[in-house]
């Protein structure tokens, strides 16, 4: 990001002017600030959901960037089980080896085998969040962008997410108000 400026329209104030930021697979960045100061807008600029009013944003086309926001668990079809959700998202070759790989990944993400065959509507919010995070991490991103990821999570899930991020080998950009989590 070089010399970036952004405003939503000509009637709204400029949120950024002259902003410069570089993110790579070694970055650990935390964005803090009050609501309405443009943290989520900056994330949208980084991930290509918005384009700058001025300046340039260069993204490596081979980089895998995964976005986790406070609504990440909403992507799950509540009628599907966690395993069905993962199989639909990552069909692979549909062999038992591939299904075992998906099961193992869900288990490592805190979704034990017994919960993998339960429809998502019957899971807690924290368990659905773990399923969504399993889907995000399955693509092995180089950079994780987390926009208020702890909203709607129970304490156990927040601690588990913190452990996962701490052990994540790629770059991290975090927007959060949660002091414990940061």
């Amino acid at each position: 990001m070089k010399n970036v400026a952004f405003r939503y329209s000509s009637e709204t104030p400029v949120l950024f002017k002259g902003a410069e930021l570089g993110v790579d697979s070694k970055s650990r960045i935390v964005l803090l600030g009050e609501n309405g100061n443009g943290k989520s807008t900056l994330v949208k600029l980084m991930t290509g959901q918005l384009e700058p009013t001025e300046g340039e944003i260069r993204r490596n086309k081979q980089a895998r960037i995964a976005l986790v926001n406070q609504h990440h668990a909403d992507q799950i079809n509540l009628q599907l089980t966690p395993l069905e959700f993962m199989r639909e998202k990552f069909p692979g070759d549909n062999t038992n080896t591939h299904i075992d790989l998906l099961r193992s990944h869900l288990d490592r993400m805190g979704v034990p085998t017994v919960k993998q065959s339960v429809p998502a509507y019957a899971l807690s919010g924290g368990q659905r969040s773990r399923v969504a995070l399993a889907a995000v991490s399955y693509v092995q991103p180089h950079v994780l962008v987390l926009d208020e990821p702890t909203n709607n999570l129970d304490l156990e899930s927040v601690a588990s997410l913190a452990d996962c991020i701490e052990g994540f080998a790629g770059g991290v950009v975090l927007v959060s108000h949660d002091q414990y989590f940061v």
Side-chain angles (χ1 to χ4, degrees), residues 56-132:
E56 106 183 85
I57 297 176
R58 288 180 294 201
R59 294 176 199 89
N60 181 327
K61 296 198 186 318
Q62 278 71 47
R64 290 185 304 274
I65 301 171
L67 174 64
V68 178
N69 64 32
Q70 58 189 314
H71 306 292
H72 64 277
D74 295 344
Q75 67 178 310
I76 299 170
N77 178 338
L78 297 178
Q79 303 306 311
L80 298 178
T81 68
L83 184 59
E84 290 168 340
F85 171 74
M86 291 293 285
R87 286 182 70 184
E88 186 176 273
K89 197 159 182 70
F90 308 105
D93 58 8
N94 210 23
T95 62
N96 285 339
T97 302
H98 177 68
I99 294 167
D100 288 345
L101 186 66
L102 294 175
R103 283 186 179 283
S104 174
H105 185 72
L106 282 164
D107 191 53
R108 281 193 311 277
M109 294 301 296
V111 184
T113 305
V114 68
K115 296 289 185 182
Q116 293 177 18
S117 58
V118 174
Y121 67 78
L123 299 174
S124 71
Q127 290 165 333
R128 283 196 296 267
S129 184
R130 289 173 192 221
V131 173

Side-chain angles (χ1 to χ4, degrees), residues 20-36:
E20 295 194 22
L21 176 67
V23 179
D24 63 26
S25 63
K26 302 286 185 223
S27 298
R28 296 290 170 152
I29 299 168
V30 176
L31 302 173
L32 298 170
E34 294 181 17
N35 288 337

Side-chain angles (χ1 to χ4, degrees), residues 14 35 40-41 43 55 61 90 93 102 134 150 181:
V14 175
N35 288 337
S40 293
T41 300
V43 163
K61 296 198 186 318
F90 308 105
D93 58 8
L102 294 175
T150 61
F181 186 69

Side-chain angles (χ1 to χ4, degrees), residues 32-47:
L32 298 170
E34 294 181 17
N35 288 337
N37 284 349
K39 299 178 302 299
S40 293
T41 300
L42 184 58
V43 163
K44 288 176 183 175
L45 286 164
M46 282 190 252
T47 58

